[in-house]
Amino acid sequence: MGDHSHHHGHGKDLDWNAMGESIELRAEVYRPLYAQIIDAVRERMPDPSLIIDAGSGPGVVSCALAEAFPRAEVVALDNAPALLERAQRRADAAGLRVRTLLGQIPDAFAGLAGADVVWFGHSLHHVGDQKAALAAAARAMAAGGLLVLLEGGLPARWLPRDIGIGRPGLQARLEAAREEWFAAMRSALPDARHEVEDWPALLAAAGLKPAGTRSFLLDLPAPVPPKVRDHLIAMLEREREATAEHLPAEDLATLDRLLDPDDPAGLRRRPDVFLLDAQTVHFAVKE
Ligand SMILES: C[S@@+](CC[C@H](N)C(=O)[O-])C[C@H]1O[C@@H](n2cnc3c(N)ncnc32)[C@H](O)[C@@H]1O
């Protein structure tokens, strides 16, 4: 299921509007990875006119797309108004052509047509009926259009196996706990439908032609700059709340030390913090 650690809210129901800052920070840290994906999009679609960023959040990627394709109109589609306000502010400040569209996926696609690129960045797995979302996106695409689906990859790693405090292997246990959280999050979604996460098969079921799957690496070795630490601390704070019920007390104590800004063994101060992540992207074309 890949890296879905970055955007978890506190409970099973996410309050997206309150998460603008942390989603934005994460996307900024991941900019080098998104730049590689955008290059891969450009190879397939050199001069798009209309790009839809479906589940854009605060628009870091919408702006990166607008910058990479200055001739295109980028539509940032999301159902969280506070996030779209951030997206609009970011675009205006950079003088980029981004139009925000407040609406629900899949329904909001009905008002869109002729898209050359539809980008789903970690958003599809937050929609209850993922098949309906892909089918609606496909209908809004131009012939020859490209769907770019970011789902799956490897869970991010940011500390060595043995960190000198607590029981080694903390991150592996966090990942297992996160899977429990993720399953509960998905089943609580409106219109929740269970799907086997064979993404190319789901794209094909939406009437699109799968056009390749590739994974992209984010490799930020230690020592990392403060912004990367900020992101990891924000991510771990959310993750601690989301997974607390599934973790042993010893691990919760270790997390508290990692989150303590004054602890030399904490994420703010320790020298061995890095960020290694792999994001899988599934491409599909509308014939
Ligand atoms: C994890 S964030 C990803 C944001 C952005 N794509 C990025 O990569 O930084 C998921 C986004 O999907 C939006 N979202 C979730 N379900 C949605 C739905 N049914 N309709 C529209 N947007 C939705 C959330 O508001 C949130 O902004």
Side-chain angles (χ1 to χ4, degrees):
M1 277 189 262
D3 177 16
H4 33 76
S5 56
H6 46 275
H7 43 64
H8 290 171
H10 303 298
K12 294 178 184 84
D13 293 321
L14 298 174
D15 179 3
W16 289 113
N17 284 302
M19 290 168 67
E21 200 175 325
S22 59
I23 301 175
E24 195 165 332
L25 179 59
R26 184 212 181 253
E28 283 169 1
V29 166
Y30 279 68
R31 272 294 294 266
L33 187 151
Y34 293 131
Q36 297 170 56
I37 303 176
I38 290 172
D39 283 346
V41 169
R42 189 188 282 103
E43 280 169 24
R44 291 166 168 82
M45 180 65 65
D47 192 17
S49 306
L50 176 60
I51 300 174
I52 302 172
D53 184 2
S56 64
V60 177
V61 174
S62 319
C63 287
L65 287 162
E67 210 177 318
F69 300 107
R71 285 154 53 102
E73 176 181 36
V74 177
V75 174
L77 162 61
D78 207 284
N79 63 3
L83 302 188
L84 288 184
E85 276 165 32
R86 277 177 181 266
Q88 196 65 68
R89 249 183 280 138
R90 169 176 286 265
D92 292 348
L96 294 167
R97 193 147 71 102
V98 173
R99 175 164 77 87
T100 58
L101 176 61
L102 180 63
Q104 291 288 346
I105 299 169
D107 303 353
F109 278 111
L112 294 163
D116 302 298
V117 174
V118 177
W119 175 292
F120 278 92
H122 307 122
S123 49
L124 188 65
H125 65 244
H126 292 293
V127 177
D129 189 342
Q130 299 175 105
K131 251 187 190 154
L134 290 177
R139 283 193 292 275
M141 286 165 70
L146 181 70
L147 194 141
V148 184
L149 177 62
L150 280 67
E151 287 292 344
L154 298 173
R157 287 291 163 117
W158 29 270
L159 279 177
R161 187 191 65 90
D162 189 333
I163 57 173
I165 55 172
R167 185 156 74 89
L170 174 71
Q171 272 200 267
R173 293 191 298 283
L174 262 177
E175 282 155 28
R178 191 191 308 140
E179 294 298 346
E180 301 297 325
W181 179 91
F182 188 86
M185 178 281 289
R186 269 215 61 80
S187 54
L189 287 172
D191 300 324
R193 294 231 172 155
H194 178 261
E195 299 291 350
V196 174
E197 290 170 354
D198 177 346
W199 303 110
L202 287 171
L203 290 162
L208 300 168
K209 186 178 169 213
T213 293
R214 269 185 71 188
S215 294
F216 298 82
L217 204 63
L218 180 72
D219 182 10
L220 306 175
V224 292
K227 191 160 189 161
V228 176
R229 293 177 191 271
D230 291 343
H231 156 62
L232 290 171
I233 290 164
M235 178 271 299
L236 194 59
E237 275 169 357
R238 288 194 307 281
E239 196 142 288
R240 190 197 185 291
E241 289 192 47
T243 60
E245 58 183 306
H246 303 294
L247 289 172
E250 184 188 5
D251 284 343
L252 293 175
T254 307
L255 292 181
D256 289 339
R257 286 200 63 186
L258 286 173
L259 289 169
D260 180 349
D262 300 319
D263 192 325
L267 285 176
R268 173 63 61 203
R269 296 179 55 188
R270 56 184 305 135
D272 55 356
V273 177
F274 58 91
L275 179 54
L276 178 64
D277 201 349
Q279 173 66 56
T280 301
V281 182
H282 310 275
F283 296 97
V285 170
K286 175 159 172 170
E287 290 189 299

